Each structure stands twice: as structure tokens, then as C-alpha cells.
Amino acid sequence: MRLRALPLSALCASIVSAQTSYHNPASACSSIASSFHYPDVTVNFAHYLPAGTNISLDQTGVLASCGRPSQVVSVDICRVAMFVKTSAVSNITLEAWLPTNWTGRFLSTGNGGLSGCIQYEDVAYGADFGFATVGANSGHNGTRGTAFYENGEVVADFSYRSVHTGVLVGKALTKAYYEKDFKKSYYLGCSTGGRQGFKEVQDFPEDFDGVVLGAPALAFNNLSSWSGSFLLKTGPTNSSTWLNPAEWALVHADILTQCDGIDGVMDGIIEDPQLCAYTPANLLCSPSNTTSTACLSSAQVATVRQVFEPYYGENGSLIFPRMQPGSELSDAFIYYTGQPFPYTTDWMRYAILNDTTWNASELNSYYAALASERNPADISTWKGDLSAFQKKGGKILHYHGQADSIITSANSPRYYEHVAETMGLPPRDLDEFYRFFRIGGMDHCAGGVGAWQIGQTLASTANATLDAQHNVLLRMVEWVEEGGAPETVTGVKFVNDTASLGVDFVRNHCKYPLRNFCKDPANYRSPGAWECVQ
Ligand SMILES: *[C@@H]1O[C@H](CO)[C@@H](O)[C@H](O)[C@H]1NC(C)=O
Ligand SMILES: *[C@@H]1O[C@H](CO)[C@@H](O)[C@H](O)[C@H]1NC(C)=O
Ligand SMILES: *[C@@H]1O[C@H](CO)[C@@H](O)[C@H](O)[C@H]1NC(C)=O
Ligand SMILES: *[C@@H]1O[C@H](CO)[C@@H](O)[C@H](O)[C@H]1NC(C)=O
Ligand SMILES: *[C@@H]1O[C@H](CO)[C@@H](O)[C@H](O)[C@H]1NC(C)=O
Ligand SMILES: *[C@@H]1O[C@H](CO)[C@@H](O)[C@H](O)[C@H]1NC(C)=O
Ligand SMILES: *[C@@H]1O[C@H](CO)[C@@H](O)[C@H](O)[C@H]1NC(C)=O
Ligand SMILES: *[C@@H]1O[C@H](CO)[C@@H](O)[C@H](O)[C@H]1NC(C)=O
Ligand SMILES: *[C@@H]1O[C@H](CO)[C@@H](O)[C@H](O)[C@H]1NC(C)=O
Ligand SMILES: *[C@@H]1O[C@H](CO)[C@@H](O)[C@H](O)[C@H]1NC(C)=O
Ligand SMILES: *[C@@H]1O[C@H](CO)[C@@H](O)[C@H](O)[C@H]1NC(C)=O
Ligand SMILES: *[C@@H]1O[C@H](CO)[C@@H](O)[C@H](O)[C@H]1NC(C)=O
């Protein structure tokens, strides 16, 4: 069920009735709490906050699991907190941070995992850059999926309605507060946030002019089943088929030996893991040496092979592509622990089956197919026809870390090619509105051994990422407003990921289907040593 259509008169009324005196932003902010009227919206409070305010955030109950006790905002803002009813049995918590030094731009942010957590660091990031920025809780609170149980409306909020509603309300509030319309509308999100952004592009193409979408959780039901499939492959912790973190470190070193040089240099970064046809055969213990800690048993070697195979279901259909080789050091603590992956269990129990007793070891191709067929609120987010967004002039900057330990980077090219095929457009034509960048050595949305600071998060607003070439959000603004489409995205790796320690290296990341190749290995830390090749 969608948010009911807003009568135009209501929208106009809300603008007229706002009666803000924007020349005095503090008084405009305090009056917006009572003057902003929009169907199903209750304004909880509106606070005018000076630059540098360290905002204390609600940590009561399950919100504590969001792990966001406070957020600093570095510019003057009007912070508006709202409650929005989305159906008879569902609602969202929505915040708008409206900077005094407004650029005339609107920005929506997204969520992560199964979470009902406003990503305040993203809201602050947008506000710091002068966007009127909104963030919503996706329709429930806390990191788990229990709220989906027997409530398809909460699932609908999570699938699309939370973000879409936040955009409708946020745009109306923006007009009311500044007493003029925004110029352009943007979106920034990663993981579930990347999926939510693609959902907007697919189903609500009018919402945005430009979207920056990282590591999107596309084919969501299948992704969830795939995430649960590693337990079946590794077996439980300490079983004969399982590998401990030290053994995964052996595998990682062996993967680098076999595949790190494919991109022209051995630097610990596999630029294109799709080219890595890894075999763990070398790691098999010799019959005379089965107790060594530097080799694997045949059962463990079989596990490693399975982990790097695609996940196939009934009748040999592909459920989800393989985990890319390279993320083992992280995955030893995420997917390869021999424990159930909590999001898979939650999604299957509460969103797919309404069965609170389903257990992760029951996962099989039947349940994977069932999840894909039930596809609640069309959360799969797999439509390949983006022509409505293209026609309105919308732009997509899609990126994916090539050492992603949560959502294999192999899923993004699969979607890109699905769009290309559905729309009948080769990459050079897709380039007009949709560009996909593979970020070598980036983990899930952030972190990793590569030059992963590309301006995608507040954590990366360090000095080196403040110009458009180093900052995907500003890059999107430039593309939408000036037509400067990105050929590459430049990333920075700080020493120990700490800007104050200085820059370790800088690298340009290539536009798919091009891949990064090092033509001058002696100078691999310099961007000029690399080129994008076919
Ligand atoms: C903001 O306040 C919290 C405590 O409420 C504190 O832990 C944190 O360090 C503060 N942040 C800054 C940047 O001062
Ligand atoms: C918001 O929705 C939840 C269901 O997700 C419900 O339990 C709660 O009562 C609702 N709150 C209000 C104020 O309607
Ligand atoms: C307002 O934002 C612009 C960039 O959009 C910046 O150049 C300027 O310094 C800001 N002014 C203030 C007073 O913060
Ligand atoms: C989420 O928590 C907020 C308090 O911050 C509360 O107002 C809201 O009703 C909660 N939402 C749901 C769906 O329970
Ligand atoms: C789960 O419960 C909700 C609400 O009762 C219902 O809409 C949905 O169809 C149920 N799903 C299944 C698979 O039974
Ligand atoms: C696995 O074995 C280690 C070492 O014997 C032990 O400390 C740990 O509790 C075991 N873990 C599980 C889940 O059985
Ligand atoms: C056993 O394996 C270890 C590590 O691979 C190696 O150093 C050692 O020489 C091997 N010993 C035998 C008897 O093969
Ligand atoms: C597998 O094939 C059977 C028989 O043709 C069909 O009923 C079933 O739906 C197929 N399963 C999938 C997941 O395509
Ligand atoms: C999960 O199911 C398996 C297989 O049916 C069973 O052996 C195991 O005890 C169950 N675990 C829990 C926690 O119920
Ligand atoms: C999801 O998996 C099913 C098999 O369970 C497959 O038929 C379907 O094509 C997959 N969907 C996507 C979007 O990959
Ligand atoms: C970076 O971190 C490593 C490991 O923690 C440490 O040994 C090294 O001294 C750090 N480098 C700097 C410049 O702080
Ligand atoms: C960023 O600032 C640090 C000091 O805080 C400096 O060492 C570094 O060179 C700067 N990086 C760039 C690319 O300007």
C-alpha cells in the first residue's frame, strides 16, 4: 500500500500557512513546529542549533542497538523531528536538518542492514555541505527485524515507503522553512541505503535528480538467503569443515599469491576480483603433515571451494553470485564464523514465513525460492527498466567496494548488465545517465586496504576529499548541475585511515566495464601509474 496521494491544496496550504520569517532563521525554526501542516505528520520538535552542537540522540529501548549516542553538526541548522503515520499499523520517525547556509539543494539519506536507525552521520554530512537533509528510521526501531512479524506494512516501509515518504514530507518542509523551492534533489546511501535509492529510481523516478548508491542490497531476498548459506558451507564453529580466522588468513595470503598480480602489481589490493579464478589446492596438507597449522584438511579445502562458488538453487537457478575472493580477513568474523547470520534468520522468520521458530540450519533451496517468490513489498529491487528516471534527466553514480565482506561485489555488475540488457543500451549509452565504479580494496561501504575515502560518508570528509573528483556527493552535484560526468572517481587512503597522519596513497577508480591496471608497478602508489583498460 502506498502513501495516499497528497492533495495539491494541502501542499500549497502548508507553504502559505508556514509564515516563516526566514531572515531570522532561529525564529523561523521555532515557529515551523506549529505552522507546518502535512497529512499524517506530527512535528515533535524544531530546535535551532548553532554550528558545533554535539546533539544527544535518543538511545532508549531498542534504539540503543543503533549505536548512535550523539552527533556533532558543524553548521547552523534547524533540526526538525517528526512522527509520520504511513498506514493504520505503521509509522516512521523522520528528521530534517535544515542548514542556515542553504545551497538550495535537497538530500535524502537511507538505512543499513535490516535496521530501523536514522543514519545521523549521513544527515549531518548532508547538512554540513548545505543540503536540506532528511533521514528516516525505515519504519521500525533498532537493528533487528522482529517488527516485520505479521506486519506487512512495516515491511513496506522498509522496502520503499519510509524513504519515499521522507522525501515528500521533507521537500514540503524545505519549501515551508526557506519560503522557496529547492533547486535540485539528491540521494546518498549505501548497502540497504543503496537498495533504497535504486528502489526510488525504479518506482519513484520523480523523487531525485541525482543518486549516489553504494554496495546496493539488490535482489534482496536472494541476498538474504545467500548470507545464510555460508553456515551450510562452513559447518558449525570448530566442526571438521570449519576454518578458524588464522586458517582464513592462510587462504587470504594464498589468494593474494594467485590473484594480486593480475592487475599489474602486488600491492595487497585485487582491483578486479572477477578475474581471480582461485583454487585452494596448494593449501592441502600433505599426508605426512596433517597437523601443521600452515595447511588445510581436505574437508576444509572443500569448504573453501564451496565458499567461492555461486549459490545455486532449485533446477540449477542462480540465487546469488559468488563471494569475491579477497575479503577473508573480515569474513572470518562475519560470514565464516560457523554461526547463524542474524539478518537471514530475522528476514526468513518475520518477513517471509511469520514463523518465529524457523532456524538457520533449515535453510535450503526451497526456502530460498520461497523468499524470492514471496518478495514482500517487492523488496527485491530488481527492475531493469530505468527509462523513466533517464527521461527526466536523472543521474546515477553507483559504486561497490571490490573487497566487500557483506554484499559480494559480483552482484553489482550483474545488476548493471541486467539494466543494459533490459533497456537495450550498451555501456556507452548507459553512461549518459548511469555510471558504475568499482572501488579496489574497499570493504562494505567504507574501510579496507584500498583508497576507499571517496566522500561517501562523514568519516571521509577529510581535507583530501572536499573537491568533486575526490567526493562522490559533490561529483553528483557537478554532474547534475553542470553536466560534468565522472570518468573516474578518485579515492584516498590515509595512513592507518587517519587523516591527521597524512596520505598513504591516492588511486583513481575505473568506470565499469573498464578495469584498473598498473602500467608502472614501481610507482603504484601514484595515481599516474594506473590506467583504465578494457
Ligand atoms: C559528544 O558528546 C558525547 C557524550 O554525549 C561524547 O561522548 C562525544 O565525545 C562528544 N563528541 C564530541 C566531538 O565532542
Ligand atoms: C507505530 O507503529 C508501530 C508498529 O510498527 C505500533 O506498534 C505503534 O503503536 C505505532 N505508533 C503510533 C503512535 O501509532
Ligand atoms: C556557505 O556555504 C558556501 C558553500 O556552499 C561556503 O562557501 C560559505 O563559506 C558558507 N558560508 C558560511 C557563512 O558558512
Ligand atoms: C521509535 O522510537 C521513537 C522514539 O524515538 C518513537 O517515537 C517511535 O514511536 C518508535 N517507532 C516505532 C515504530 O516503534
Ligand atoms: C504474515 O502476516 C501478515 C500480517 O498478518 C500477512 O499480511 C502476511 O501475508 C503473512 N505472511 C505469510 C507468509 O503468511
Ligand atoms: C571452539 O573451540 C574453542 C577452543 O577449544 C573454544 O574456546 C570455543 O568455545 C569453541 N566454540 C564453539 C562455538 O564451540
Ligand atoms: C609441514 O608443513 C609445514 C608448513 O607448511 C612445513 O614448514 C614443514 O616443513 C612440513 N613438514 C613436513 C614433514 O612436510
Ligand atoms: C523447478 O522446476 C519445477 C518443475 O519444472 C518447477 O515446478 C519449479 O517451480 C522450478 N523451481 C524454480 C525455483 O524455478
Ligand atoms: C536447528 O535445527 C537443527 C536441524 O533441525 C537442529 O539440529 C538444531 O538443534 C536447531 N537449533 C535450534 C537452536 O533450535
Ligand atoms: C532469486 O533466486 C531464484 C531461485 O531461488 C531465481 O529463480 C531468481 O532468478 C533469483 N532472482 C534474482 C533477482 O537473482
Ligand atoms: C599504524 O598502525 C600500526 C598498527 O597498529 C602501527 O604499528 C603503526 O605505528 C601506525 N602508524 C602510524 C604512523 O601511526
Ligand atoms: C590533509 O591534511 C593533513 C594534515 O591534517 C596533511 O598531512 C595532508 O597532506 C592533507 N592531505 C591533502 C591531500 O591535502
Side-chain angles (χ1 to χ4, degrees):
M1 201 180 83
R2 303 216 167 148
L3 185 77
R4 69 189 159 85
L6 175 75
L8 197 61
S9 57
L11 188 70
C12 296
S14 73
I15 297 166
V16 173
S17 71
Q19 295 188 349
T20 50
S21 46
Y22 189 64
H23 59 275
N24 183 341
S27 72
C29 187
S30 61
S31 67
I32 200 89
S34 54
S35 64
F36 181 63
H37 299 294
Y38 194 98
D40 298 323
V41 175
T42 307
V43 177
N44 293 333
F45 62 79
H47 293 156
Y48 193 74
L49 304 172
T53 302
N54 185 357
I55 303 170
S56 288
L57 300 169
D58 190 349
Q59 288 279 283
T60 52
V62 292
L63 282 171
S65 65
C66 292
R68 290 174 172 88
S70 62
Q71 181 62 55
V72 175
V73 62
S74 58
V75 295
D76 296 349
I77 59 161
C78 174
R79 178 190 179 202
V80 186
M82 290 161 278
F83 174 88
V84 187
K85 208 168 130 138
T86 52
S87 78
V89 292
S90 61
N91 47 75
I92 61 170
T93 305
L94 174 68
E95 293 218 11
W97 290 18
L98 308 168
T100 301
N101 186 14
W102 185 43
T103 56
R105 300 182 184 116
F106 176 81
L107 179 75
S108 172
T109 61
N111 304 99
L114 290 186
S115 94
C117 298
I118 294 175
Q119 301 203 159
Y120 286 99
E121 65 281 15
D122 292 344
V123 181
Y125 184 45
D128 287 355
F129 276 128
F131 294 84
T133 308
V134 295
N137 74 339
S138 90
H140 66 285
N141 286 330
T143 54
R144 300 300 295 264
T146 45
F148 301 140
Y149 181 55
E150 293 190 332
N151 193 332
E153 298 294 348
V154 177
V155 179
D157 281 350
F158 180 69
S159 173
Y160 66 88
R161 197 169 46 197
S162 174
V163 169
H164 180 57
T165 303
V167 170
L168 297 181
V169 175
K171 285 180 175 178
L173 178 69
T174 298
K175 285 180 200 169
Y177 178 65
Y178 297 106
E179 296 184 323
K180 59 178 160 183
D181 209 349
F182 63 90
K183 287 186 299 191
K184 295 287 177 190
S185 170
Y186 297 90
Y187 179 85
L188 179 72
C190 195
S191 194
T192 276
R195 185 198 61 73
Q196 289 166 321
F198 266 116
K199 191 73 179 159
E200 288 279 294
V201 168
Q202 293 171 11
D203 290 358
F204 304 100
E206 289 306 316
D207 281 358
F208 301 116
D209 297 296
V211 295
V212 177
L213 308 174
L218 299 168
F220 185 82
N221 301 290
N222 289 16
L223 164 63
S224 176
S225 300
W226 174 82
S227 300
S229 72
F230 294 102
L231 174 60
L232 311 178
K233 293 177 176 183
T234 63
T237 320
N238 294 345
S239 64
S240 62
T241 48
W242 183 76
L243 285 76
N244 66 32
E247 288 161 337
W248 278 113
L250 290 181
V251 175
H252 181 68
D254 193 39
I255 286 171
L256 290 183
T257 302
Q258 291 182 37
C259 295
D260 188 5
I262 295 171
D263 56 27
V265 67
M266 302 284 279
D267 61 349
I269 301 169
I270 300 173
E271 286 287 337
D272 185 354
Q274 286 193 305
L275 300 179
C276 177
Y278 173 64
T279 163
N282 301 339
L283 293 177
L284 182 64
C285 297
S286 67
S288 59
N289 199 355
T290 53
T291 56
S292 166
T293 55
C295 61
L296 303 179
S297 71
S298 58
Q300 291 175 315
V301 166
T303 297
V304 175
R305 281 190 212 283
Q306 283 181 49
V307 158
F308 295 118
E309 278 166 11
Y311 186 34
Y312 292 110
E314 287 176 17
N315 310 338
S317 58
L318 178 71
I319 298 172
F320 212 69
R322 71 166 186 170
M323 175 58 89
Q324 84 270 295
S327 59
E328 303 69 38
L329 300 182
S330 296
D331 273 310
F333 299 94
I334 300 170
Y335 284 145
Y336 311 156
T337 58
Q339 300 296 317
F341 188 64
Y343 290 166
T344 305
T345 306
D346 283 8
W347 188 248
M348 202 62 90
R349 280 184 179 174
Y350 307 120
I352 301 297
L353 301 171
N354 289 335
D355 174 358
T356 60
T357 64
W358 186 84
N359 138 6
S361 59
E362 296 176 57
L363 180 68
N364 57 25
S365 56
Y366 164 77
Y367 284 111
L370 192 67
S372 165
E373 277 155 27
R374 292 208 170 147
N375 184 25
D378 194 19
I379 197 170
S380 71
T381 314
W382 197 253
K383 287 177 191 148
D385 180 4
L386 308 182
S387 55
F389 188 71
Q390 177 192 25
K391 283 199 190 92
K392 69 152 279 188
K395 309 291 183 218
I396 304 167
L397 194 163
H398 171 180
Y399 69 89
H400 204 138
Q402 298 300 295
D404 189 321
S405 53
I406 311 267
I407 302 177
T408 179
S409 57
N411 199 44
S412 275
R414 191 168 81 99
Y415 181 70
Y416 179 94
E417 278 151 22
H418 174 55
V419 172
E421 196 172 306
T422 307
M423 297 183 70
L425 297 178
R428 71 164 189 283
D429 293 337
L430 273 186
D431 270 2
E432 188 258 318
F433 79 104
Y434 175 14
R435 296 183 177 216
F436 165 45
F437 296 87
R438 294 189 289 172
I439 315 298
M442 180 197 265
D443 201 327
H444 187 58
C445 298
V449 292
W452 63 267
Q453 305 253 19
I454 57 171
Q456 78 279 35
T457 65
L458 187 60
S460 60
T461 51
N463 49 356
T465 61
L466 290 177
D467 66 285
Q469 180 60 27
H470 295 80
N471 183 301
V472 282
L473 181 58
L474 299 183
R475 175 48 110 175
M476 179 48 78
V477 167
E478 196 172 282
W479 189 5
V480 165
E481 297 180 13
E482 291 162 35
E487 288 304 318
T488 59
V489 162
T490 302
V492 175
K493 175 71 175 175
F494 292 109
V495 175
N496 286 1
D497 288 332
T498 307
S500 58
L501 296 178
V503 173
D504 188 348
F505 61 94
V506 175
R507 191 168 296 177
N508 296 324
H509 302 294
C510 300
K511 175 164 60 75
Y512 189 80
L514 301 182
R515 64 186 177 86
N516 227 354
F517 187 77
C518 187
K519 56 186 178 178
D520 180 10
N523 293 308
Y524 73 90
R525 296 157 76 85
S526 147
W530 294 81
E531 63 186 339
C532 297
V533 301
Q534 293 286 344

